Structure formats: C-alpha cells, structure tokens
C-alpha cells in the first residue's frame, strides 16, 4: 500500500498548485460501521500501475512547465495528488483534502481558501461527478482525463468542468455504426453499474435501435458485486444467442468479469469494447487471449511524449518494492531482500509501457491547459476567474496536437478503431484499423470510417443475428413479443419483390421474376402470326380467299352457261368479291395492334360483311320478284338489275356511313390491358365507342335477318334450281355463328377475344361460301349435263 485516500500521495509546493485525483489503487476496504465507535479509516490496496503512470505523467508535465522559460516564467507550479481508489467515498475525502489542505477535515475547520487552483481527475465518471458537486460550490475547475459520461457535458449542472477525452455521446454512436457495419444485428451488452456505464449504454442502445440493431440482454455489474452476481451475469452471456458482446465497462468491472469468464470458460464471443479497457495492456496477455483476441473498440489517438519513459524510471523505494516484490528492510518473514541491482528497464508492465500513450497524453494535455489558462490570467491581471481562461485556451503541443474546448468543455471527438491481433510471436498487439471523426459531416465521416475499415479482415467473423435474412421473394414478419430483429419470413405475393424487410409492388408495366427479387417487364401478349393459333387462323383466311378466287375463275369460265346466268352472274361475282374481302379482313386482326390496324380491322369487317349481306339480300329480292312478277318477262330483268344495284349500293353505303361516324367521333385505338391479367400486358384494340361496334354488328345482323326471312318465304318456289333454299341454309349458319359469337366474345380472355372474332368471321364466311356456291360448283364441274336451260326451267311434279 502506498498511502490512504485521506493523505496526499504525492505533493510539492509552488506558487500555483494543481490538484490531482487518480485511482492508484483499485480495491478499497469496507470497515464495519458502528454508532459507538469511530469508523476505521479507509484503506486502499491492489496498486493500479496504469493509474500510477497517469499520476507520474502529471508530475512530468509540471516539471516541464517549471523548466520552461516561456510558459509561466518565474512562476513555480506545485501539485498535490490524492488516491481516489476508484470509488466515490475516497474521492469525496480526496477532494475535501484538496480544497482544504487538511488531512482529517472532520477534526479541524475548513480553511478560507482552497489549497489548489485546479483539479485534474478523476478516472471514473461517478467519482468525477462527486468531486464536481463539491468543487462547483467554490468554482474550482475540474479537468478530467478519463471521465467520458455524456452527462458531464451539461454546462448548467457542471459549469466548471472540462475534459481532454471525448464524450461517450460520440463513442456510443460510433460503436452502433461499427456493429451495423459488420451486420451484427443481434448483440448482448454488459456495462458498469455507474454513471459511465449506464449513460454510455443507454446512448448505445438508442443509437443501435436507429441502426436496426437489437440488444438481446443488457446486464450491469459493479466491482463491489458478490462473486455470485458476477457468475450470474456470465451465465446470462453464455446462455444468450448473441455472438457479439458490447462491453461498456470500466477497468475494475472488466477485471472481475474476465476472471469469472475464465472460470466458466466463456469463449467464442466477439468482444466490442469501450475506450476504458480496449487498450489496457494488462488485459492483452496470454491469460485472456482465448477470450479477447479479435476484440474491437474505439479509443483516442495515441501519442508520444518525449522523455516520459526516462522520468518514469525514477521512482521511490516503495514503488520499487511493489514492482519487484522485495523489501529493503532486512529479516522480514516471507520477504525477499532487495539487492538494488534490479532494473526497471527490464520490466514490461503498464507503468513502464509508453507504446500506447493515450490516456496519459490526456493528463499531459490537461496540465498544459491549466498552465496556459494561468499564464493568460496572470498576463491579463484580472481577478482569478480561471474557468473563463480555461474555456478560451487554444494552443498546440510540441507534438503538433491542437488543444481546445468547445462550449461544453469537451475536446473534438476523434477516435481510432483498434483490433486485438496476434503477432508472429503469439503476443497480442493493438492494431489501428479504422478512424472516426465526429467533427466531419455525416457523408465524410462514413467514408473515412469505411475506407479505413476495409483494411481489417476478421478471419472468423461471427454471425450474430436473431433471425437470418429472408431469402429473395420473402419479407420479414414481426414475431409477437420479440424485438424487431427477430422475425419470420413470409413469401411475397405475385407481382411483388422483396428488399428483405417488406414486399414492394412492381410498377404497372412490370412483374416479379420467378424468385421475386427483381421486377422485369411484363410479357406482352397479342395474337401474332408466329404462334400456332395465329398461323392457323391466317392459313384458313388465305385458304378461304383462295377458294373464292378459284370459284370466281370457275364462274368466269362458265359465265355463258344457263346455271351461271340463272344465278345472276353480276351479283355472284360481287358476292364472291365480298367473300374474298371477308376472308382477308380477318388478317387485320392478327399481329400487334397499331393505331391504323385498329381502325382498319373493324371498318373492313363491317364494310365487307355489309357488302356480302347486301348482295345476298339483292339475290333474295330478285328471286322473289322473278317468281311473283305479273309484267311481261322482258321488263323483269331490267327492273331487277336496277333494283339489285340500288339495294347493294344503298345498303353498303349506310354501313360505310356508320363506320365513318364511328371513326370520326370515337375511333378504335391500341390499348395496353393490365387489368384482365396482372402478370402480363394484353395488347388489344379498344373499341373507342362500344356503341359504334355494336351498331356495325347490329346492322349486319339486320341485313342477315332480312335475307333469312325473304329466303325462308321463297324456299318452296317451283324451280329445280331455287337459290332461296341455299340462302336460307346459309343464313341459318350465319346467324348461329354470330349469335354464339356474342357471349364467347364477351367472356374470352386476352388474345382469345380476337381469336373468337376471327373464328366467327371465318366460320360465317365459309358457311356462306359453301352453302351458296358449293351446289353450283358441283353441277358446273361434276354434273355438267344438268347445266341446261331445260333443266333450269323444269317444274317439280
């Protein structure tokens, strides 16, 4: 033991005195309390060599300033350093001793003036808060080198607080981004049960939730906890499913947690640490290598302080005894006699190790900040309001590092990302693998973070998620009672794609691919010549047109025979021409719809069939007139020819008028139908005006009905070759086809609508063709002996 928390550990008088509070010992006794006896004094044990280095660094900086000719010339700086023992109670006694300059403040009255001008310390946030609550009353500034709690940035509660280490407000957010960067969305957390751990972890959990990271458990421990409580925390960590552990722990809690982790053989975790322990060299040993190798964490940048190592090797005898485990006093039982030949240079411990000067550099900067503030205060000759001058300091150290405080008394938040790696000798070393600067804009900060981070390769990076990412085509579905990181995967509906979290509908003209990971253009469907159905319909159309042309040739060859003359050759040729148009107009329905094809197909269909029905109607009227006429025979043909031409022309022109009106006011147009079939686009011709379409179709139906009625009434006229009975039969076929067409047309999907319309056109055309012209061709080609006037004029018996 080097001292007690009630007596200054190290002291030196000077014109200006700087106080110090460091956790030089990490364990404190718990004396029994009694109402009848004076409490026993607190005693501290288990020296913390790292903290002792901090105290000696403070003395080293003060000695440098005393030897400077430019900074505080002719002014001596003294110091008074107390041991806070890493606990709030001895910190309270230490700060009272610093303020009053008394060893036992309970026995004497307080002095009127503080014995120190500024206090540097403490190493823990809770101890620093206790000190501030006392110093704040006397407006004595406190500069901490290691207290990182974001709560200390509150200028309203702590107006005289400064620090040379960044606030955990930034570190916690940097840790959340680090975890997110590696895809660790399911983590465990353990923290110190004090202001440092509780505030830091609360900030981390908030930032992590914003990054989509969930915390499976969050446990708190204190260095004063029982071994059973620490064992319980380790069991919680072991039983958890998270493979990444966020350890927001002070060194004292980290030490006892690791000891219990060794007992329970806790391995296989990726440790992510806070700056308090992530560069603690006493942890980077083979003893803990199986647990901590690969650890990641943020820390402040390291620095070099020239001459510090040589200064540290000049220590007092008590420290010598502690380091080498010997005694200068002879004949003490169980003690080894110190020879004096031991060399500190040969000892590698946290006190003599200056390769990772991070927190020590903070102490160094704090001392120089006080010196610059006092220098400015003395030069200005103002009242000793050192707080204002500390707020305004802005200087550069010999190393080139700039020192200043923002409006909250904080320095700039710049971190190094450290990874624990093994060198060739098998020793753990701290390798800087990343950087994070909170002063940069978000975009630049992220770029710097990721650019540096690309150099680190974690060979066995653990997978730490509650639920693995959903495969393509599935979305995340929350599980009741579980965090958002725990989810089940549900398949996306057709026409949707997944981005792992939700299903997004594809644009109107796109559809999801097979695994529903991308939107692809929808299949465009229309009746084309290249497919089987389109090719067959086109072949039948051309076949029908070819037949009509062939029959026309036959009729032309036999145009002077009685049969052709009796069939009214003029109307027969016109009817054959119209049937050819009917067959060919079906071709306009095949192929990709365009603006012109849509207008052509319906008008060509309407005009062709109107011409066809007009010819048949004229034939039927001619037959009726021929058998019912009372005038002389020579006047009948002249009257019939004029009537035929007039009826055909007028009936066809009326249909053409309907078509023209349709095209003028609401013409058909190409249309992408995405409603009927969601997975494809049907290219079709929108009718424009359904009234126009049904008017065209209705007019053809009216003509066919008139033909049927007249032909039916004339079917039994006395003639061997009475065309009326053939026309009657053809009209029955025609009407049956188109009556069947209407419901089939309305109910057919997609391209089958067009196919139904083409089928109706071809079926009715073939019906007319074979019913009217097949009997005539049979006589002309097979039974020429019947093709006589005598036979044509014969009467039925």
């Amino acid at each position: 033991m080097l001292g007690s928390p009630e007596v200054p550990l190290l002291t030196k008088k000077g014109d200006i005195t700087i106080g110090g509070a460091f956790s030089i010992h990490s364990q404190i006794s718990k004396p029994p309390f009694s109402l009848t006896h004076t409490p026993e004094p607190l005693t501290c044990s288990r020296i913390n060599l790292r903290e002792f280095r901090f105290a000696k660094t403070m003395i080293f900086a003060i000695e440098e300033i005393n030897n400077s000719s430019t900074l505080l010339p002719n002014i001596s700086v003294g110091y008074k350093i107390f041991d806070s023992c890493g606990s709030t109670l001895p910190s309270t006694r230490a700060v009272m001793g610093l303020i009053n300059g008394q060893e036992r403040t309970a026995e004497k009255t307080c002095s009127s003036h503080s014995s120190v001008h500024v206090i540097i310390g403490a190493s823990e946030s809770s101890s620093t808060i206790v000190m501030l609550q006392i110093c704040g009353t006397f407006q004595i500034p406190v500069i901490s080198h290691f207290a990182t709690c974001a709560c200390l940035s509150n200028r309203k509660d702590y107006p005289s607080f400064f620090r040379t280490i960044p606030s955990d407000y930034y570190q916690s957010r940097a840790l959340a981004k680090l975890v997110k960067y590696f895809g660790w969305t399911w983590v465990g957390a353990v923290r110190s049960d004090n202001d440092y751990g509780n505030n830091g972890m609360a900030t981390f959990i908030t930032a992590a939730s914003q990054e989509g990271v969930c915390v499976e458990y969050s446990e708190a421990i204190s260095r004063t906890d029982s071994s059973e409580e620490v064992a319980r925390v380790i069991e919680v960590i072991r039983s958890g499913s998270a493979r990444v552990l966020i350890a927001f722990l002070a060194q004292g809690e980290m030490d006892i947690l690791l000891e219990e982790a060794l007992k329970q053989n806790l391995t296989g975790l990726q440790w992510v640490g806070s700056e308090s322990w992530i560069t603690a060299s006493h942890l980077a040993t083979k003893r803990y290598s199986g647990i901590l190798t690969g650890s990641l964490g943020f820390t402040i940048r390291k620095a070099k302080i020239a001459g510090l190592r040589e200064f540290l090797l000049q220590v007092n005898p008590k420290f010598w005894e502690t380091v080498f485990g010997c005694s200068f006093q002879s004949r003490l039982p169980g003690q080894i006699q110190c020879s004096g030949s031991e060399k500190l240079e040969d000892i590698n411990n946290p006190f003599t190790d200056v390769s990772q000067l991070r927190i020590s550099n903070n102490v160094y900067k704090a001392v120089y900040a006080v010196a610059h503030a006092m220098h400015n205060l003395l030069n200005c000759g103002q009242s000793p309001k050192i707080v204002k001058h500390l707020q305004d300091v802005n200087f550069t150290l010999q190393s080139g590092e700039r020192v200043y405080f923002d409006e909250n008394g904080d320095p700039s938040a710049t971190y190094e990302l450290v990874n624990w790696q093994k060198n060739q000798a098998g020793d753990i070393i701290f390798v800087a693998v990343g950087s994070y600067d909170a002063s940069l804009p978000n975009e630049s900060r992220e770029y710097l973070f990721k650019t540096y981070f690309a150099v680190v390769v974690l060979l066995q990076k653990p997978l730490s998620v509650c639920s693995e990412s959903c495969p393509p085509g599935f979305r995340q579905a929350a599980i009741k009672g579980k965090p958002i990181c725990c989810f089940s995967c549900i398949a996306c509906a057709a026409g949707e794609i997944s981005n792992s979290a939700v299903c997004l509908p594809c644009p109107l003209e796109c559809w999801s691919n097979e695994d529903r990971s991308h939107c692809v253009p929808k299949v465009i469907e229309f009746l084309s010549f290249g497919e089987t159905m389109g090719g067959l319909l086109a072949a039948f159309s051309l076949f029908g047109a070819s037949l009509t042309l062939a029959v026309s040739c036959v009729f032309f060859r036999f145009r002077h025979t009685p049969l052709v003359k009796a069939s009214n050759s003029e109307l027969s040729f016109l009817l054959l021409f119209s049937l050819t148009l009917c067959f060919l107009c079906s071709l306009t329905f095949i192929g990709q719809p365009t603006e012109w094809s849509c207008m052509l197909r319906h008008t060509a269909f309407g005009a062709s069939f109107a011409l066809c029905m007009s010819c048949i109607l004229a034939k039927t009227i001619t037959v009726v007139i021929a058998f019912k006429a009372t005038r002389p025979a020579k006047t009948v043909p002249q009257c019939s020819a004029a009537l035929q031409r007039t009826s055909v022309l007028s009936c066809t022109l009326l249909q053409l008028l309907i078509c023209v009106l349709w095209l003028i006011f609401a013409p058909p147009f190409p249309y992408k139908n995405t409603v009927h079939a969601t997975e494809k686009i049907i290219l079709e011709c929108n009718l424009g005006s359904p009234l126009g379409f049904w008017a065209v179709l209705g007019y053809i139906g009216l003509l066919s009905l008139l033909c049927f009625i007249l032909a039916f009434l004339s079917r039994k006229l006395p003639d061997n070759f009475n065309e009326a009975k053939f026309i009657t039969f053809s009209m029955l076929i025609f009407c049956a086809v188109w009556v069947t067409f209407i419901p089939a047309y309305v109910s057919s999907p997609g391209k089958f609508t067009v196919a139904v319309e083409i089928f109706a056109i071809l079926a009715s055309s073939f019906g007319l063709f074979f019913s009217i012209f097949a009997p005539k061709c049979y006589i002309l080609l097979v039974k020429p002996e019947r093709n006589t006037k005598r036979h044509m004029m014969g009467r039925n018996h």
Side-chain angles (χ1 to χ4, degrees), residues 475-484 486-488 490:
R475 67 173 177 85
Q476 298 176 3
I479 301 175
K480 188 176 182 181
K482 293 289 188 75
I484 59 172
C486 303
F487 49 83
S488 57
I490 298 178

Side-chain angles (χ1 to χ4, degrees), residues 346-612:
D346 299 334
I347 299 296
N348 186 16
N349 60 32
F351 179 77
T352 59
D353 183 11
V354 295
S355 62
Q356 298 284 334
L357 293 180
R358 302 176 191 272
I359 309 303
S360 296
N361 189 50
N362 284 350
V363 177
Y364 187 78
K365 290 189 290 185
V367 174
Y368 267 89
V370 174
H372 278 273
M374 295 298 297
H375 184 90
N376 294 335
L377 184 149
L378 294 175
N379 286 341
C380 292
Q382 299 177 356
S383 59
K385 290 288 184 178
I386 192 171
V387 173
K388 179 182 182 302
H389 290 279
L390 274 173
Q391 184 68 65
D392 296 337
V393 295
N394 193 331
F395 62 95
T396 303
L397 295 172
Q398 291 181 355
S399 61
E401 184 176 0
R402 182 182 167 210
V403 180
Y404 66 94
F405 301 106
D406 64 12
E407 64 275 8
N408 295 319
D410 295 331
S412 60
T414 303
Y415 297 97
E416 274 186 355
L417 181 61
V418 173
N419 180 219
W420 291 33
Q421 300 178 11
K422 284 187 176 181
N423 59 15
Q424 293 181 349
D427 300 324
I428 294 178
I429 56 174
F430 307 132
V431 180
V433 295
S435 177
Y436 188 86
D437 190 348
S439 64
L440 297 175
N442 286 334
E443 297 79 6
S444 301
R445 188 188 314 167
E446 294 294 324
Y447 174 75
L448 183 65
F449 178 66
K450 293 179 181 180
T451 302
Y452 273 92
F453 217 19
V455 304
V456 65
V457 178
L458 296 181
L459 298 179
Q460 295 180 343
K461 187 184 79 170
L463 179 65
S464 187
V465 294
C466 182
S467 300
E468 293 192 20
S469 299
C470 293
F474 290 80
R475 67 173 177 85
Q476 298 176 3
I479 301 175
K480 188 176 182 181
K482 293 289 188 75
I484 59 172
C485 298
C486 303
F487 49 83
S488 57
C489 296
I490 298 178
C492 293
E496 295 180 339
I497 60 171
S498 65
N499 64 349
S500 75
V502 295
C503 293
L504 301 174
C506 289
L508 188 61
E509 295 190 359
C510 293
W511 196 250
S512 55
N513 58 357
E514 289 186 4
D515 59 3
R516 295 175 185 173
S517 60
H518 296 90
C519 288
V520 295
K522 287 183 179 179
V523 175
I524 298 178
E525 181 183 89
F526 58 89
L527 188 62
S528 66
F529 290 98
E531 59 184 293
T532 304
M533 183 168 58
L536 287 174
L537 292 174
F540 277 109
S541 175
L542 294 174
F543 176 69
S546 300
L547 279 179
T548 55
L549 291 175
V551 172
S552 299
C553 294
V554 171
F555 265 56
F556 184 77
R557 170 69 178 81
F558 296 100
R559 64 185 180 279
H560 300 298
T561 63
L563 177 61
V564 175
K565 290 181 178 180
S567 300
N568 197 327
S569 58
E570 184 178 347
L571 284 178
S572 295
F573 282 113
L574 190 57
L575 178 58
L576 285 169
F577 173 72
S578 64
L579 283 173
T580 303
L581 295 180
C582 290
F583 281 118
L584 293 177
C585 77
S586 60
L587 295 176
T588 62
F589 288 82
I590 306 174
Q592 183 173 343
T594 63
E595 185 176 352
W596 285 103
S597 68
C598 285
M599 291 189 293
L600 177 63
R601 64 172 58 172
H602 290 101
T603 52
F605 156 72
S608 300
F609 272 89
L611 178 59
C612 182

